[in-house]
Amino acid sequence: MQETELTAVPETALWTLRNRAEEALRPDSTFTDTEAVRLYRALSGEDFERFGPPSQVHSMRAVVIDTVITDYLAAHPDAPVVALGEGLQTTYWRLGEPAVAWYSLDLPEMVATQRQLLPTAPGITRLPHSVLDRSWLQQVPSGPAVITAEGLFMYLPPADVAQLIADLARHFPGGTLVYDSIPRVFSMATMRGKVRLSDRYVAPPMPYSQSLRQARRLPDRIPGVVAAQDLIPPRGRGRWGSPLLRWAANTPIGRALRPSMTLLRFAE
């Protein structure tokens, strides 16, 4: 039996891993994530039940990320993938180990865990840095790239996010950035310690939130950002596939209260 020693924000990588693996294991699901399932089973010593009932949200998010990367590489086959705060994401293997330069950035303790648990992948360069330590940019070529920040920005100080996006736009002209955001009401609940997934786990503070209205204003606020697009996840199972739910999520109130995924395009 294996288990990790991850705590605080890095521990959330286990939460998202469990949700992707559980969804991939369902016979009524179309989501496939073979490496997540392998790792989930290997970590049998972990108390995954502390994260509460499984949810589809992280597999739906993963499908959006996969689509963005695939589409961008189809148009820019020589561009690298830059995965910020990658954690235990298994995107590289879901996409069939693409023959591109793949840069995976995360905190040193998480990179050590990745090297221990994930398969050897010559195509991946692991960068043990905080995303806020810009020295990592010196290790990644400047130019067009597809950048992912999956489950990352909500954990960063709000004042730092806009500057980080501006730095990414400057270093990766012609690139694109995809990331997910939480609504302000959820952010405030985490800051008060009110998001309890079980009697053994409380979600860590998530100080950064973003509404769809705020996302649409980014091209006017951040140098180098030329377009912002709201990405709609695919329909899921059960209530996640309900046309009524999708309609409600796109009403003015729904747009203010739901999580979102944003695609930013950078100037050439």
Side-chain angles (χ1 to χ4, degrees):
M1 295 195 309
Q2 282 186 289
E3 58 183 318
T4 70
E5 297 181 359
L6 298 173
T7 60
V9 173
E11 186 181 14
T12 63
L14 297 170
W15 175 19
T16 60
L17 169 69
R18 188 284 305 268
N19 282 347
R20 296 196 320 277
E22 284 284 357
E23 184 63 23
L25 286 167
R26 290 183 62 100
D28 58 346
S29 174
T30 60
F31 180 69
T32 302
D33 198 333
T34 303
E35 181 55 29
V37 170
R38 182 203 66 80
L39 182 53
Y40 179 51
R41 287 171 168 164
L43 292 172
S44 56
E46 285 288 349
D47 174 22
F48 285 106
E49 297 302 314
R50 70 188 186 275
F51 299 119
S55 168
Q56 294 178 65
V57 295
H58 294 124
S59 59
M60 295 166 69
R61 181 178 76 181
V63 171
V64 174
I65 297 289
D66 291 354
T67 301
V68 169
I69 294 175
T70 300
D71 290 350
Y72 190 85
L73 293 180
H76 305 82
D78 297 326
V81 176
V82 182
L84 306 180
E86 192 171 31
L88 295 176
Q89 301 296 342
T90 46
T91 316
Y92 177 79
W93 292 276
R94 276 199 314 274
L95 296 181
E97 303 182 43
V100 299
W102 191 290
Y103 295 90
S104 177
L105 179 81
D106 216 313
L107 298 171
E109 58 265 40
M110 177 54 76
V111 170
T113 300
Q114 291 170 339
R115 288 171 172 157
Q116 174 188 357
L117 297 177
L118 294 172
T120 300
I124 298 179
T125 299
R126 300 203 179 276
L127 305 174
H129 297 275
S130 164
V131 71
L132 300 179
D133 171 11
R134 300 297 199 277
S135 64
W136 67 268
L137 285 170
Q138 301 171 15
Q139 302 178 57
V140 182
S142 181
V146 54
I147 307 147
T148 68
E150 191 172 355
L152 173 64
F153 282 1
M154 64 277 294
Y155 298 110
L156 300 181
D160 291 329
V161 175
Q163 186 58 56
L164 173 60
I165 294 174
D167 291 343
L168 293 173
R170 186 180 306 110
H171 193 80
F172 300 107
T176 194
L177 166 68
V178 58
Y179 63 96
D180 54 316
S181 305
I182 57 172
R184 185 170 182 269
V185 63
F186 188 81
S187 170
M188 293 174 63
T190 68
M191 298 302 288
R192 296 194 300 266
K194 298 296 186 180
V195 180
R196 181 176 291 276
L197 302 184
S198 73
D199 59 358
R200 301 187 303 284
Y201 187 78
V202 177
M206 304 179 192
Y208 181 77
S209 64
Q210 179 184 279
S211 68
L212 268 68
R213 178 177 297 180
Q214 290 171 323
R216 289 169 180 164
R217 293 174 177 169
L218 293 181
D220 297 324
R221 292 183 53 236
I222 301 180
V225 176
V226 296
Q229 178 184 354
D230 179 43
L231 301 178
I232 305 299
R235 290 185 178 181
R237 294 176 290 96
R239 66 184 179 91
W240 291 101
S242 165
L244 179 61
L245 178 65
R246 294 176 78 85
W247 172 83
N250 284 290
T251 63
I253 294 177
R255 287 194 295 268
L257 296 178
R258 68 167 167 87
S260 59
M261 298 199 69
T262 303
L263 180 72
L264 300 183
R265 301 188 188 281
F266 299 153
E268 297 285 348

